[in-house]
Amino acid sequence: MAADLKDSLWSEMLITQGYQPSKPSIWLLEGVLYYLNEEEVHNLLTTITTLSVKGSWFGADVINSVIMNGQHDWAKYWLSCCDDPESFFEQYGWQTSAIQPGDEGASFGRFTCQFSDPSLIDKPHLYFIAACRQE
């Protein structure tokens, strides 16, 4: 099913195609959220939350404001960021865990660089999100 996630009709299309919102589901938004503006992210997460029951899972990656506002050419494409991913996703009813490339459980031998401690807010951070619907 092809759909524009910025358009609210995608959820209706999903249900028409057989999605059952009464059953737990898994959502994966890898490489998506930072290309949407803040309002689009809010609308998408609100819709996903509405379509998800307790026990559903959500995965995503997010960048912090240091990366989003960076000097790299590709930074011009990024429209949103998340400096405190646990709090951000928890406001939508998701119990959230955030780890960075290089952290235990996130690298699997693929990442040789280590990101700074998340408490250093003026440093670049990329987070891998795993969240479970609690409400």
Side-chain angles (χ1 to χ4, degrees), residues 2 18 36 65 71-72 110 134:
L36 304 175
S65 57
Q71 300 300 313
H72 300 289
R110 294 178 292 194
Q134 295 300 304

Side-chain angles (χ1 to χ4, degrees), residues 18-95:
Y19 177 76
Q20 299 174 22
S22 62
K23 296 187 177 184
S25 55
I26 298 174
W27 302 90
L28 181 60
L29 295 175
E30 188 174 16
V32 174
L33 295 177
Y34 34 85
Y35 291 104
L36 304 175
N37 66 40
E38 289 181 23
E39 180 180 1
E40 293 164 342
V41 169
H42 170 74
N43 292 340
L44 179 60
L45 293 177
T46 298
T47 301
I48 287 173
T49 301
T50 300
L51 291 171
S52 301
V53 296
K54 183 177 182 177
S56 294
W57 283 88
F58 177 87
D61 59 342
V62 296
I63 57 175
N64 74 340
S65 57
V66 173
I67 292 179
M68 185 182 95
N69 298 315
Q71 300 300 313
H72 300 289
D73 288 340
W74 23 265
K76 66 185 174 191
Y77 299 107
W78 296 331
L79 304 175
S80 64
C81 61
C82 185
D83 289 322
D84 184 3
E86 288 94 347
S87 296
F88 179 76
F89 290 100
E90 285 173 3
Q91 72 182 334
Y92 292 94
W94 296 88
Q95 183 178 7

